[in-house]
Amino acid sequence: MASETTTPRSFQEIILRLQAYWAARGCAMLQPYDMEVGAGTFHPATTLRALGSKEWTASYVQPSRRPTDGRYGDSPNRWQHYYQYQVIIKPSPPDLQELYLGSLEAIGIDMKMHDIRFVEDDWESPTLGAWGLGWEVWCDGMEVSQFTYFQQVGGHDCHPVSGELTYGLERLAMYVLGYDDGNEMPFNDPQSPIPLTYGDVFREAEAQYARWNFDVADTDTLLQHFKDAEAECARILEQPADDPKTGRRIVMAQPAYDQCIKASHVFNLLDARGVISVTERQAYIGRVRALAKACADAFVQTDAGGYAA
Amino acid sequence: MPDLLIELFSEEIPARMQPKAAADLQKRVTDGLVEAGITYTGARAYSTPRRLTLTLSDMLARSPDLREERKGPRADAPEKALEGFLRSTGLTKDQLELRDDKKGQTYFAVIDKPGRAASEVVAEVLEDTIRNFPWPKSMRWGSGSLRWVRPLHRILCITYDEQGTEIVPVTVDHITSGDITEGHRFMAPGAFKVSSFDDYEAKLKKAHVVLDATERADHIWADATSMAFAQGLEVVEDKGLLAEVAGLVEWPVTLMGEIGEQFLDLPPEVLQSSMKEHQKFFSVRNPKTGRIEKFVTVANTETPDNGATILAGNQKVLAARLADAVFFWENDLRIAKEGMQPWLDSLGKVTFHNKLGTVADQIDRIAALAREIAPVVGADAETAEKAARLAKADLASEMVYEFPELQGIMGRYYIERAGESAEIAAVAEDHYAPLGPSDDVPTAPVSVAVALAEKIDKLAAFWAIQEKPTGSKDPFALRRATLGVIRLVLHNNVFFGLSVAFDSWQAHNPVLAEAFAKRERSISRLPEGQFRNDLANQHKNHVKEAEQMIDGLTSVLGDRFPYTADLLSFFHDRLKVYLRDQGIRHDVIDACIAMEGNDDLTLLVKRANALSDFLKTDDGENLLQGFKRANNILSQAEEKDGVEYSFGADIKFAETDEERALFKALDDAEATITPAMKDEDFAKAMTAMAALRAPIDAFFEAVQVNADNDMVRRNRLNLLHRIRTICLSVADLTRVEG
């Protein structure tokens, strides 16, 4: 580990080092989920795989979108599109804290120089009907990760318990690379023939999305999308488990869950458009949670969810 | 006699849970041991972020032997009885003894309970403690089913004396006890053995762990204050934060850092809030200017650069937060300086409660009420209304959105910047007060008017939609609001009838929320399915009926608030609790609540105080007895005769001097009490009442009320009636115990 405590030179090097570190510890290197999500937890590799009795381990980068965080690319530390690095191991190993600290060393944080603290932070996702206990991890007073032992997902008790680590990559990278303005930090190696900063890559798109998210997105269309996703999710789950064409048992938990993800993102967009009142908010969150629960119920009826015929 | 050392070593325990957890460990283990006969002389519990520790000294090595004798059935009792006895004692028939008893030969069971080794008992008790630990929130991990606050890694459990150290074998799920612990996570990684508490504490210190939270806190405070002092500054005291920080570190390293010059003009509350809530920093103040100029943070580790990297990182995080705060502050000031209208408009879109409309609606109600309360508390009505209209404006500001705990405080700054008087600005903060039972109560008249209006509106509104607190459920903090009103009127000596305020609320909110609430309820009860439409149509008629009925009610009630009695009794319940804490008996309060004008709490309490004082005197106590005697005799006679003796008693039928003296005394008392009561001078009225004591006593001493002569008897009963009437005009003494 000590050999790795050189400082990375770029945002992508931090990602590469995390990938290498967790791959070496046996995680399946997954790729981002191909849908718009609010956080890495929404990836079915976390939400669905945390359910049921089967062992599981994965890590991946997840581009995530929070429309209300858009600042037209002007903020040094807020973007409506950002990256999370996600690790999930089920059952949580007894040395998960040590493994996690090793990953910080791997990206150049020297434990002898820094103050690392595990500060109580109980995680809850009202839209996923999920909660867990754990900490936010502080490095010199800054939150660099979320560390959670899942207790419930989609209303189901987690057995065994998954350990989930979520790194906020931009904030972590700004700290490790020493930048106050995230847009200025190098995305690729600054010595490359064509050096690019984080801002070079994303600033323009941030402005475009901020305008669309806040002022242009058609709310009637979005409301319809929400209803459609909700209806499709229900319709998928209403299908009998036995497929009449193949004669096989195929419970379509993940296609249904895609619709749940879609509904959740549309809700976030509607929220950013400011058309959801405080009281309606709770109702929408409840509707997405109902979908998440139904999908969780379906997933435990699948082979991957530990269903045994 | 051996000592005992237990350590439960886990992943990081939330700071706020540590002190209680240490106390719970001590209580559960010692209770269990004592119950099993293992006593000890001393116990101490400790906590750090990663461990709970308990040490007991001079523990009994074995619990004492016990012998228990139990008497069973007689020898000739039916077989069934014997079987039952054998079952309950767990013995066989040949183990029983037959003895001669009064009633003949009887079975006896003699059960010897040999003492048990302490280690056996400790193991049992500890396992039970771990499995049933009262964490406020606990979790499972890995594949296990054991619950702990965070994953539990080690159990250290040893007993030791001059002979040596022994591990107490305990296994909880897959964790087996030992004599091993670990030091500081980063400064001294690795496990080590310990042989006693002294050894444990010393080795921990060497391994950079200060076991005692108080020692850690003292250390932090001493370092922080001397660092600040050296620069002519002082640390803002915060005991809660100190305790929390002491629970976040095993090896406290105190560092003092700079707040960037560009942030020093932020309001001190903003600086303190950002630093405390998010970063757990102490504020460091310049005593000359009162400005917050630096911060103290507490790290958990020593570094080769003496914390320079850590401090730089913390400063950077703080700077980012404060940059946000400056951004909010500047944006907010722009809106504040223009009169805050955009905020007030946007509060029209924020729901206060789905049956009570928006925050803007709430503000309208409060403003109307504040106007009416203002003259009662000596405030100008216009000013009170204006203050009420601005007091919640900051809820729409960016700063309060980001730091909700600054509501009211930011309001004060913004209202001042809007060019309003300090009197009006203060209301933003004051109108929420008092929140806690020991919070200061506002005294400025405008503040009092709006603070009362805010709370009375809340109570009247939630009563109107019938969302009252039930049991432990009080989601809208209505009990707190009630206590707030009580403290506001009492502290400021405000005399005013709550029912007038409720009616005034009603007058300003003529649409009976009740009608709305009823309709809501019945619609939500509609079933799903094919009959839905039919039912909906049918239901429309019901709604109409209900509305008509309520219209009717409204016309009968006029502008009277329909829930006054219920809400008042809620107030009286709170008041009883409040006064009981001040040493006034509940029956004394009941005697005063039974009187007219009980919706004026200040008056009510004045009466209760006077009565309470009065009853503590000899005269008071004796008068109460005299009153009760008079009242009992009278009530019995009235019941027996089926009439009320309320005709004027006439002195000319008096036969004795004592009787005549009582007539005279009652006349005198009445002459004083009636005007005194009119002036609400309870003390004077009660002093006058006290003067009745001697004549009443003398009367009962000398006179037989139920005289043979009917005329004399009736006259005496009518005289007793005068005692009753005069006394009851002061307080309902029938409700006073004793």
Side-chain angles (χ1 to χ4, degrees), chain A residues 173-240:
Chain A
M174 283 165 66
Y175 193 62
V176 170
L177 303 173
Y179 284 84
D180 292 338
D181 184 341
N183 290 311
E184 286 169 12
M185 68 181 163
F187 198 97
N188 58 0
D189 191 325
Q191 309 301 319
S192 344
I194 305 173
L196 295 169
T197 65
Y198 189 89
D200 291 336
V201 180
F202 289 118
R203 195 194 291 262
E204 177 57 32
E206 278 297 310
Q208 294 174 14
Y209 276 106
R211 184 174 176 196
W212 183 70
N213 291 341
F214 289 132
D215 301 318
V216 178
D218 185 67
T219 55
D220 291 340
T221 310
L222 289 172
L223 283 166
Q224 194 53 48
H225 283 347
F226 187 92
K227 285 183 202 146
D228 289 347
E230 199 177 32
E232 180 63 3
C233 182
R235 203 182 63 82
I236 294 171
L237 295 176
E238 271 168 19
Q239 304 301 314

Side-chain angles (χ1 to χ4, degrees), chain B residues 292-368:
Chain B
I292 308 283
E293 293 183 352
K294 298 193 180 216
F295 68 87
V296 161
T297 183
V298 182
N300 187 33
T301 191
E302 285 171 15
T303 61
D305 65 354
N306 293 317
T309 308
I310 295 174
L311 198 54
N314 275 285
Q315 273 172 195
K316 191 180 254 194
V317 180
L318 179 64
R321 282 206 188 280
L322 293 182
D324 275 351
V326 167
F327 178 74
F328 301 142
W329 171 242
E330 286 172 352
N331 285 351
D332 285 350
L333 282 185
R334 260 195 300 280
I335 294 177
K337 282 177 187 159
E338 286 161 14
M340 308 189 281
Q341 197 53 48
W343 290 341
L344 296 173
D345 293 343
S346 74
L347 291 177
K349 295 184 200 111
V350 180
T351 308
F352 169 66
H353 181 284
N354 60 4
K355 291 179 191 160
L356 295 170
T358 64
V359 174
D361 295 331
Q362 180 199 16
I363 291 173
D364 282 343
R365 294 194 304 266
I366 297 173

Side-chain angles (χ1 to χ4, degrees), chain A residues 135-158:
Chain A
W135 311 273
E136 47 182 51
V137 184
W138 286 12
C139 175
D140 302 336
M142 185 176 65
E143 184 192 342
V144 289
S145 303
Q146 193 77 37
F147 191 129
T148 308
Y149 292 101
F150 278 179
Q151 302 295 301
Q152 250 192 12
V153 172
H156 291 257
D157 279 348
C158 296

Side-chain angles (χ1 to χ4, degrees), chain A residues 91-92 94 97-98 112-115 117 120 122 134-135 138 140-142 149 151 158-161 175 180 279, chain B residues 11-12 14 16 137 139-140 142-143 150-151 153 185 278-279 298-300 303-305 309 313-314 316-317:
Chain A
S92 64
Q97 280 187 312
E98 283 70 30
K112 286 191 193 64
M113 299 303 290
H114 295 275
D115 182 34
R117 228 86 71 68
E120 177 190 15
D122 301 342
W135 311 273
W138 286 12
D140 302 336
M142 185 176 65
Y149 292 101
Q151 302 295 301
C158 296
H159 240 302
V161 167
Y175 193 62
D180 292 338
T279 28
Chain B
E11 296 178 14
E12 277 76 357
R16 67 189 169 94
K137 254 187 191 175
M139 55 164 273
R140 293 172 287 105
S143 306
R150 293 294 183 275
H153 283 278
R185 190 190 276 285
H278 299 288
Q279 303 301 133
V298 182
N300 187 33
T303 61
D305 65 354
T309 308
N314 275 285
K316 191 180 254 194
V317 180

Side-chain angles (χ1 to χ4, degrees), chain B residues 329 332 336 343 397 399 410-418:
Chain B
W329 171 242
D332 285 350
W343 290 341
S397 68
M399 190 72 90
M410 297 320 298
R412 174 162 51 79
Y413 284 107
Y414 296 147
I415 294 171
E416 269 172 12
R417 298 299 175 109

Side-chain angles (χ1 to χ4, degrees), chain A:
Chain A
M1 250 184 267
S3 62
E4 283 274 42
T5 52
T6 54
T7 307
R9 282 158 303 179
S10 64
F11 185 66
Q12 71 191 28
E13 189 179 343
I14 290 176
I15 296 177
L16 290 171
R17 287 199 194 183
L18 285 173
Q19 292 275 48
Y21 178 86
W22 287 107
R25 272 137 200 97
C27 287
M29 286 294 90
L30 298 188
Q31 300 303 320
Y33 202 54
D34 57 343
M35 291 187 70
E36 298 135 312
V37 295
T41 307
F42 276 84
H43 196 308
T46 294
T47 308
L48 295 182
R49 295 286 180 162
L51 293 159
S53 56
K54 285 201 170 174
E55 298 188 335
W56 177 254
T57 175
S59 69
Y60 52 89
V61 177
Q62 181 62 54
S64 306
R65 301 196 190 207
R66 288 189 186 162
T68 45
D69 276 356
R71 294 293 183 272
Y72 299 85
D74 295 338
S75 163
N77 52 20
R78 266 184 212 240
W79 301 268
Q80 56 82 42
H81 171 281
Y82 64 101
Y83 285 122
Q84 286 191 339
Y85 193 81
Q86 177 90 0
V87 178
I88 176 154
I89 308 179
K90 172 177 140 190
S92 64
D95 58 347
L96 189 56
Q97 280 187 312
E98 283 70 30
L99 286 173
Y100 166 75
L101 292 170
S103 76
L104 293 187
E105 299 250 10
I107 56 172
I109 296 178
D110 180 357
M111 299 295 144
K112 286 191 193 64
M113 299 303 290
H114 295 275
D115 182 34
I116 307 291
R117 228 86 71 68
F118 292 87
V119 180
E120 177 190 15
D121 190 34
D122 301 342
W123 172 82
E124 194 184 354
S125 168
T127 41
L128 288 177
W131 69 277
L133 298 191
W135 311 273
E136 47 182 51
V137 184
W138 286 12
C139 175
D140 302 336
M142 185 176 65
E143 184 192 342
V144 289
S145 303
Q146 193 77 37
F147 191 129
T148 308
Y149 292 101
F150 278 179
Q151 302 295 301
Q152 250 192 12
V153 172
H156 291 257
D157 279 348
C158 296
H159 240 302
V161 167
S162 301
E164 183 210 42
L165 307 173
T166 304
Y167 305 73
L169 283 175
E170 283 78 3
R171 206 171 343 168
L172 186 60
M174 283 165 66
Y175 193 62
V176 170
L177 303 173
Y179 284 84
D180 292 338
D181 184 341
N183 290 311
E184 286 169 12
M185 68 181 163
F187 198 97
N188 58 0
D189 191 325
Q191 309 301 319
S192 344
I194 305 173
L196 295 169
T197 65
Y198 189 89
D200 291 336
V201 180
F202 289 118
R203 195 194 291 262
E204 177 57 32
E206 278 297 310
Q208 294 174 14
Y209 276 106
R211 184 174 176 196
W212 183 70
N213 291 341
F214 289 132
D215 301 318
V216 178
D218 185 67
T219 55
D220 291 340
T221 310
L222 289 172
L223 283 166
Q224 194 53 48
H225 283 347
F226 187 92
K227 285 183 202 146
D228 289 347
E230 199 177 32
E232 180 63 3
C233 182
R235 203 182 63 82
I236 294 171
L237 295 176
E238 271 168 19
Q239 304 301 314
D242 296 320
D243 174 29
K245 195 168 89 190
T246 61
R248 285 162 55 193
R249 180 186 155 81
I250 306 177
V251 175
M252 294 169 288
Q254 194 161 329
Y257 180 63
D258 284 352
Q259 300 302 318
C260 170
I261 293 179
K262 203 171 275 179
S264 171
H265 179 62
V266 171
F267 161 70
N268 288 340
L269 285 170
L270 286 165
D271 198 22
R273 289 288 280 114
V275 294
I276 293 184
S277 77
V278 183
T279 28
E280 283 175 320
R281 250 189 96 79
Q282 287 315 311
Y284 272 99
I285 289 172
R287 283 162 76 178
V288 177
R289 182 168 56 238
L291 299 184
K293 283 191 166 164
C295 295
D297 294 346
F299 183 76
V300 296
Q301 295 299 315
T302 67
D303 190 38
Y307 178 82

Side-chain angles (χ1 to χ4, degrees), chain B residues 513-524 539 543 546-547:
Chain B
E514 167 80 349
F516 180 58
K518 269 197 180 147
R519 191 165 36 195
E520 286 280 301
R521 273 200 298 271
S522 44
I523 286 174
S524 67
H539 179 72
V543 170
E547 278 171 349

